[in-house]
Amino acid sequence: MASGNSWIDSNTQISAPPMHFDLRPLSTGEVLDRTFQLYRARFALFAGLAMLPAAVNVTTQALRLWYSAQQTVHVHTGVNLYKVQGISVALALVSSILSLLLYGITQAATTWAVSAVYLGEPASIKNAYKIAATHWFRYTLIVLRQIWAGFWLPVILISTGAGLQVARRGSASANLTAGLLYIVAFFTLIYAVWAYIRVSLAVPAAVVESLQVRASIRRSKQLLADRKVRILLLFVFLFAIYLVIGAIQAPLAFFAIRARGAEAFLTHAISLGIGFLASTLVAPIGAIAVCLFYFDERVRREGFDIEWMMTRLALSPTLTSDAAPDLPPPSEEGSALS
């Protein structure tokens, strides 16, 4: 890096000493170890990729907090109350849509970056996002399909329970039925996690193999037919990290509820800053690890290490050429590792 802030420039080619990774079957611990090796060696690249969704998330949260603070100084009734509630719901919906959109694109960009690093090719934040944005709609649909595959049953049960309570307001039997549905929905979360794990490799499959939505979902299920526990351990590890971050933010949230004026503003600003740093620094761990698990499953099942070696040889400068032309980084989906 030329300067302390050069990693913020999305046009910067992230330069680092060449790294050599052997593709071979890895244990769960080895995958995590290699994840941190990659992250540490190319911190600027991967943290830079995670910065955009983190910044957008913080911005939308700040906008919602600002709007909520503006409305609390007034007493709303009748039509104005519904208007304020509608705007709040709309802001939350926009925030959720942007988060889903950027999650898929960032996962795809990270997959491309990991592929380029493995091939020893130059990689930049700009190029990674450029490649991912080419098929942004596909990646968004894949993320939605992943969420639906995992959580369709709890969503249906909770929606049914809420609908019963609304339709038969004040009915004891409706409340009892709804409560039972909520309890069942809670226990179905076990199935939801298992189902989500089955399709968790869909985005890397779509990027590396240029697959469509349904094909990438089927590909993930095929690759994870046997070794789902490894993905579960990764999710537990990430959950533990976010629990620690949540424990740090909890006192700030409690203080923000009681604070007023400048104190409340400062508390919210600190909490949003912690959230931004957490998303920027932690999110790449999961994205890189999922990509490496995808590579590892293909090595175990399909001899992907041989294919990868042949790709590296094909991209190496010809020894007999006096002046081999410069090779650009992979510029098409799946050109880095297919």
Side-chain angles (χ1 to χ4, degrees):
M1 292 180 288
S3 64
N5 296 324
S6 63
W7 66 286
I8 300 176
D9 183 8
S10 63
N11 294 302
T12 302
Q13 293 284 340
I14 308 299
S15 59
M19 301 183 67
H20 302 285
F21 296 102
D22 57 325
L23 273 178
R24 57 180 177 81
L26 302 174
S27 66
T28 303
E30 288 174 320
V31 169
L32 292 177
D33 182 63
R34 185 162 293 186
T35 296
F36 284 104
Q37 287 180 26
L38 271 171
Y39 191 19
R40 184 170 58 250
R42 299 297 178 92
F43 174 79
L45 173 63
F46 293 115
L49 289 172
M51 181 179 289
L52 176 60
V56 171
N57 183 48
V58 168
T59 301
T60 55
Q61 286 189 47
L63 182 61
R64 291 164 58 190
L65 287 172
W66 173 81
Y67 181 77
S68 177
Q70 290 292 109
Q71 300 307 314
T72 53
V73 298
H74 305 288
V75 177
H76 298 283
T77 59
V79 177
N80 286 336
L81 177 61
Y82 290 113
K83 179 181 177 181
V84 170
Q85 292 176 340
I87 293 175
S88 298
V89 171
L91 289 174
L93 182 62
V94 170
S95 177
S96 300
I97 292 174
L98 287 175
S99 296
L100 289 173
L101 175 65
L102 291 174
Y103 175 80
I105 293 176
T106 304
Q107 178 68 56
T110 303
T111 299
W112 179 89
V114 172
S115 302
V117 170
Y118 258 74
L119 286 174
E121 294 296 309
S124 71
I125 299 169
K126 178 181 179 181
N127 285 343
Y129 269 121
K130 182 179 179 181
I131 300 302
T134 304
H135 299 290
W136 65 270
F137 189 64
R138 179 190 303 175
Y139 303 135
T140 302
L141 290 180
I142 290 175
V143 171
L144 289 173
R145 182 67 178 82
Q146 287 176 320
I147 294 173
W148 180 250
F151 298 95
W152 65 271
L153 185 54
V155 167
I156 290 176
L157 291 172
I158 292 173
S159 300
T160 303
L164 278 174
Q165 288 184 304
V166 171
R168 301 173 61 184
R169 188 175 303 173
S171 171
S173 61
N175 291 333
L176 177 61
T177 304
L180 291 175
L181 289 173
Y182 296 151
I183 294 174
V184 174
F186 175 78
F187 285 106
T188 59
L189 289 176
I190 299 174
Y191 163 78
V193 172
W194 175 82
Y196 182 83
I197 287 174
R198 292 181 67 206
V199 297
S200 59
L201 303 184
V203 173
V207 174
V208 176
E209 302 179 56
S210 300
L211 300 178
Q212 297 298 321
V213 178
R214 290 185 179 180
S216 63
I217 294 295
R218 288 195 300 267
R219 181 65 163 149
S220 179
K221 292 178 180 179
Q222 176 191 8
L223 292 174
L224 289 176
D226 302 321
R227 286 173 287 273
K228 302 179 186 68
V229 176
R230 305 199 304 167
I231 308 295
L232 176 62
L233 292 176
L234 169 65
F235 289 168
V236 170
F237 175 69
L238 294 173
F239 181 71
I241 294 177
Y242 282 112
L243 273 183
V244 173
I245 297 170
I248 296 174
Q249 290 180 302
L252 292 173
F254 177 76
F255 184 75
I257 295 174
R258 303 174 62 88
R260 294 291 183 272
E263 289 183 350
F265 175 80
L266 180 61
T267 304
H268 284 305
I270 294 174
S271 181
L272 289 174
I274 294 174
F276 172 76
L277 288 176
S279 297
T280 301
L281 299 178
V282 178
I285 298 174
I288 297 171
V290 167
C291 184
L292 293 184
F293 276 124
Y294 165 79
F295 290 154
D296 187 66
E297 288 298 330
R298 289 196 64 186
V299 168
R300 291 171 179 269
R301 294 176 178 275
E302 304 167 356
F304 188 53
D305 50 337
I306 299 175
E307 183 179 344
W308 171 80
M309 181 180 64
M310 297 301 294
T311 304
R312 290 202 60 166
L313 290 175
L315 291 177
S316 298
T318 305
L319 296 177
T320 58
S321 175
D322 293 331
D326 292 335
L327 290 170
S331 57
E332 296 289 340
E333 266 191 288
S335 63
L337 293 171
S338 57

